[in-house]
Amino acid sequence: MNGKEYTNFIIDNERVAIIKDMVAKVSSEMFDYINDHFDSKYIMFYKTMTHSDLATFGKATRPNMLNKNLLYYIDEKEMLNIEEKTGKTFQTAHQSCIGLKEKLYEIVGLPNPRTTNIYKINDYMSVKVVNSNLKYFSSFYTNKVFEKLNKSIDSRAKKSWDFKNLNLNLSNGLFTEITLHCAVHGLGTSEDEEFHKLRHHLFKGDTFILLFELNKNYKNVFILLDKNPIFFNIIGEVNKTYVQYQELLRKRIIDKTLLRDNVLEYANEKKSNSVIEERKEIDEEVTRQQQATWRKMLADEMMGYTQTDGEVFCPFTYITADFNTLGTLFVASHIKGFKDKNTTDEEKYDINNGLLLSVQADALFDKHLISIREDKTLAFSFLLDSNIRLKSQLLLLQPIFEPILNANRMKYLKYHYNMFLECEEKRKR
């Protein structure tokens, strides 16, 4: 690893491989820009949007106001269901800035607003949004999510939610410069008109990224955004940037792999065993990278349904924990098996071909001892179906958390259920 990775930011002084990998998942244009501007130093800050980060006009600020949580990928009914299952009420907060790590100011050379006054970042560097990256952060798609989840805007908030005036005024070219202030609690003030528009489309669970470019001749900070996987299932579209990223990995054009391929090109003509082993290592490395990204996206999906920053839960058992510290309690479980001969490369890394399950639930699901029926109920093998005590101990007696069972995921689950039935027949022989 050519850089230092902290909790929420990455410094990479040399090859920027880590940063480029993250950028490739959200913007191919920005990926190309970094390739073309390789003489700059890059620093990345990223965070999953929490309730506190959401703008006040899109969230509840007092208890029992779940209908105010407009910038959530969950309807009010499911919020109540989550509160009942987890025993936790949804957060409330008045803070309206997007919070930053205090260490970041020192690293990128900006004043710390906690020891100074509110200031305009543009006085220190250019602030730019990546135009192509804003497709899904627009009135059309936010309104579409609202319609799908039956979210209604309070009559007193209609002016704030005038979708006709909530798209950014983009300039020609790759980037649009905007004004951005830094306040005590983070980014965004009432003066930041275009940023204010953008925040109407940032939901809890989305990822907010600041990419700082420090060059001896200039300084830039680019704003990049990434939608939570839940979003694409709600609107019924494929995340094309993520598909492109998987193709990028498969073609081995991430820096480190490309370099090693070029070094091996001549030696490969000799067909030596060492070269074959090296190729195998490269393939395994790319696979690990793909699986790590896939697992993280499954975790991000579950974070979109929880109240606490970094928290995930198993949709079968409702075991809940902080993914960043106790992620080993959960397994990114393939529905249609990774090594199944019928599973294509695209299916291996399709988010809908996976579930983030607690360890014990995954052990049963992976061996087809449990599955999910078409009616979205849990099916048990005859080996444990009558053992109520065991099912209770395994926390498998409550209904499945249905919001994750979208139409695309159910197609994979139909395949899994058929495999479950075949396994049952073999087990009974």
Side-chain angles (χ1 to χ4, degrees), residues 316 357 360-362 364-372 378-381 384 396 416 420 427:
F316 293 0
L357 301 177
Q360 72 267 36
D362 169 71
L364 296 171
F365 189 77
D366 185 57
K367 299 297 183 184
H368 295 91
L369 289 164
I370 59 173
S371 188
I372 298 176
L378 205 57
F380 294 90
S381 167
L384 67 154
L396 293 172
H416 187 276
F420 165 82
R427 285 190 281 257

Side-chain angles (χ1 to χ4, degrees), residues 27 77 122 298 353:
S27 172
K77 178 183 175 183
N122 307 69
L298 284 172
N353 187 24

Side-chain angles (χ1 to χ4, degrees), residues 318-330:
Y318 292 88
I319 288 175
T320 305
D322 185 306
F323 184 76
N324 298 313
T325 57
L326 293 169
T328 52
L329 293 174
F330 302 91

Side-chain angles (χ1 to χ4, degrees), residues 115-295:
T115 56
T116 61
N117 295 318
I118 295 173
Y119 63 87
K120 187 164 65 172
I121 295 178
N122 307 69
D123 292 337
Y124 299 87
M125 57 186 67
S126 296
V127 182
K128 301 175 181 179
V129 293
V130 183
N131 292 348
S132 61
N133 183 235
L134 297 184
K135 175 182 176 181
Y136 296 114
F137 295 85
S138 63
S139 292
F140 174 80
Y141 283 103
T142 299
N143 194 35
K144 194 170 183 178
V145 171
F146 281 18
E147 290 175 354
K148 292 281 187 179
L149 297 178
N150 299 312
K151 291 183 181 287
S152 58
I153 300 168
D154 188 283
S155 58
R156 291 170 294 181
K158 289 286 185 183
K159 187 175 180 181
S160 174
W161 283 97
D162 180 7
F163 281 116
K164 294 178 183 177
N165 297 306
L166 290 181
N167 287 327
L168 271 69
N169 299 312
L170 301 180
S171 60
N172 294 326
L174 291 176
F175 311 115
T176 297
E177 291 203 32
I178 65 170
T179 300
L180 185 59
H181 285 77
C182 203
V184 173
H185 294 293
L187 298 178
T189 69
S190 57
E191 298 179 58
D192 302 327
E193 184 178 344
E194 293 301 292
F195 192 64
H196 182 74
K197 293 178 183 177
L198 184 62
R199 295 195 65 189
H200 282 78
H201 313 300
L202 273 167
F203 284 66
K204 183 185 178 299
D206 291 343
T207 302
F208 179 80
I209 302 168
L210 294 176
L211 179 62
F212 294 87
E213 180 190 16
L214 307 181
N215 189 284
K216 61 182 179 181
N217 299 315
Y218 56 85
K219 293 181 180 180
N220 291 315
V221 56
F222 301 98
I223 297 174
L224 290 156
L225 309 168
D226 191 20
K227 280 293 184 187
N228 189 287
I230 302 170
F231 167 83
F232 293 97
N233 286 318
I234 291 173
I235 66 167
E237 293 189 19
V238 173
N239 184 350
K240 293 181 180 178
T241 307
Y242 175 66
V243 172
Q244 290 173 350
Y245 168 72
Q246 293 297 344
E247 291 173 353
L248 196 68
L249 286 177
R250 282 195 287 272
K251 292 174 182 175
R252 301 179 182 83
I253 58 176
I254 298 292
D255 281 353
K256 183 164 56 177
T257 305
L258 178 61
L259 179 64
R260 289 167 69 181
D261 274 357
N262 289 339
V263 170
L264 291 170
E265 188 173 345
Y266 174 75
N268 193 38
E269 296 175 7
K270 299 178 181 179
K271 305 295 182 185
S272 67
N273 288 335
S274 62
V275 170
I276 293 172
E277 286 300 313
E278 189 78 16
R279 287 284 182 184
K280 184 179 178 182
E281 287 181 17
I282 291 173
D283 289 340
E284 290 175 351
E285 183 178 334
V286 172
T287 299
R288 282 195 298 272
Q289 194 169 354
Q290 287 174 309
Q291 290 180 330
T293 302
W294 185 76
R295 172 181 164 81

Side-chain angles (χ1 to χ4, degrees), residues 233 294-295 297-299 301-302 305 313-316 323 330-336 348 350-359 361-362 365-366 370-372 378 400-406 409-410 412-413 416:
N233 286 318
W294 185 76
R295 172 181 164 81
M297 290 185 73
L298 284 172
E301 179 182 22
M302 296 311 296
Y305 293 119
F313 66 94
C314 169
F316 293 0
F323 184 76
F330 302 91
V331 176
S333 185
H334 275 85
I335 300 172
K336 189 175 180 183
K348 287 178 181 177
D350 182 354
I351 297 304
N352 290 305
N353 187 24
L355 292 165
L356 191 74
L357 301 177
S358 60
V359 173
D362 169 71
F365 189 77
D366 185 57
I370 59 173
S371 188
I372 298 176
L378 205 57
I400 298 168
F401 182 66
E402 278 198 30
I404 65 160
L405 302 182
N406 59 72
R409 192 165 267 137
M410 287 303 295
Y412 288 110
L413 286 166
H416 187 276

